[in-house]
Amino acid sequence: MLDPAFTLRIPDGDGRPRKICDHCDYVAYENPKIVVGSVVRHGGKILLCRRAIDPRKGFWTIPAGYMELNETPEEGARREAFEEATAVLKIERLLAVYSVPRISQVQLIFRATLETPNILAGVESLEVRMFSPDEIPWDELAFPSVHWALRHDFEAEAGASPAPFGNPADATGDRMPDGRLLPTDEF
Amino acid sequence: MLDPAFTLRIPDGDGRPRKICDHCDYVAYENPKIVVGSVVRHGGKILLCRRAIDPRKGFWTIPAGYMELNETPEEGARREAFEEATAVLKIERLLAVYSVPRISQVQLIFRATLETPNILAGVESLEVRMFSPDEIPWDELAFPSVHWALRHDFEAEAGASPAPFGNPADATGDRMPDGRLLPTDEF
């Protein structure tokens, strides 16, 4: 078995350097990745999951993850909520489209409700819990975009325009709201 | 030089089969791809580009293409319009989020205007042209989502909600509006 080995080269007919295999000339195109997730409400409370895996193990997040092949964004958001919290969602609408260009991520975040009140931690969660708005553990959230999504969901709940939110002004997703820079491997 | 050779196998710690290299065990993860594009207006007319490349060479499309690494969706939409039509865009807002799950594509389509009236065919376009609404070549559009975006832009122009449009009801993007099925390789 060979070791994987790639060199950055510009393929014929392309304009940018791509990862090309030294052994077989396979072009490993890298594309931005789509994260799908939801702010999930039930009985005035919001579902959060405490992460059982790195990055940001032990911190709280909304149910979200990488979109898979051959699903719609809504299907992906429902799948992630089921995997992480055994939660069965009814998707209401698109809440936000965020982007974190440094790590080439686009996030599609929906507003959703629980079809049934049953939640249970999946293998990627240490614990899952419904938080009332004044209980949200703001200092223990996993990622900047979890802050953004919760803030934006409160604005939506208060009657903001149905246009989806984007990144807060000047926010690129590299720092937590307190200004702390996240190490690259924490994404 | 070896020939590229992949087998579908489930990597350790994963739950789904992935393309794994027979020579070096490299896992070629495949993710949904993001298309970014714009319906571009200037002086009451809409910019369309006649495709110089397959799929759908010779048909008309809005400026759009695959999002690249390390850009925001808006930057990607501006880049594509410049590459295809030398058009400099001012992005107004998100018009639509479409998905074509069969080919694992998510499309983020913006409303935009021209910063300057100058347009010129780029290497991927045979010709570029501003069409008044009654001149749109509906029967010569490249993809179902080009139809959708133009129809939705007319609705937005007529005052529809700022919530982004999604796929028309039951439309998965596999067929043109006249019911014709697009061959897989036409995407």
Side-chain angles (χ1 to χ4, degrees), chain A:
Chain A
M1 184 64 61
L2 299 166
D3 287 329
F6 289 90
T7 304
L8 276 180
R9 281 186 282 140
I10 300 179
D12 290 343
D14 198 339
R16 290 162 188 260
R18 312 286 179 181
K19 272 173 57 182
I20 301 183
C21 175
D22 293 345
H23 309 307
C24 74
D25 274 349
Y26 171 79
V27 183
Y29 281 98
E30 292 181 304
N31 302 103
K33 290 198 181 67
I34 305 173
V35 167
V36 285
S38 312
V39 179
V40 183
R41 287 180 177 257
H42 182 77
K45 296 189 170 185
I46 291 174
L47 169 64
L48 294 178
C49 310
R50 203 152 73 82
R51 290 173 62 84
I53 52 173
D54 280 322
R56 303 289 280 167
K57 183 176 173 177
F59 288 81
W60 292 92
T61 185
I62 59 174
Y66 287 117
M67 189 172 162
E68 290 281 357
L69 295 178
N70 303 122
E71 65 185 4
T72 67
E74 291 84 351
E75 287 167 355
R78 284 200 300 269
R79 177 183 50 72
E80 289 290 341
F82 191 81
E83 288 177 4
E84 295 176 9
T86 327
V88 179
L89 301 194
K90 181 180 189 316
I91 302 281
E92 301 285 339
R93 67 174 175 85
L94 186 65
L95 173 68
V97 178
Y98 303 130
S99 69
V100 187
R102 186 173 56 88
I103 53 169
S104 299
Q105 216 178 68
V106 171
Q107 302 190 359
L108 301 176
I109 308 296
F110 296 91
R111 302 197 78 196
T113 55
L114 286 179
E115 293 272 20
T116 76
N118 308 314
I119 57 169
L120 197 69
V123 292
E124 294 177 11
S125 304
L126 295 171
E127 117 189 62
V128 293
R129 200 180 129 189
M130 301 300 299
F131 288 88
S132 61
D134 59 358
E135 292 171 332
I136 302 280
W138 295 105
D139 293 334
E140 295 164 53
L141 297 181
F143 305 111
S145 58
V146 178
H147 269 263
W148 306 344
L150 292 172
R151 293 284 180 206
H152 287 154
D153 193 70
F154 286 128
E155 291 186 43
E157 192 73 7
S161 157
F165 291 90
N167 291 21
D170 299 327
T172 55
D174 294 343
R175 291 174 185 274
M176 296 301 284
D178 63 6
R180 195 160 29 99
L181 190 64
L182 287 173
T184 301
D185 63 1
E186 290 212 342
F187 283 89

Side-chain angles (χ1 to χ4, degrees), chain B residues 159-173:
Chain B
S161 157
F165 291 90
N167 292 23
D170 299 327
T172 55

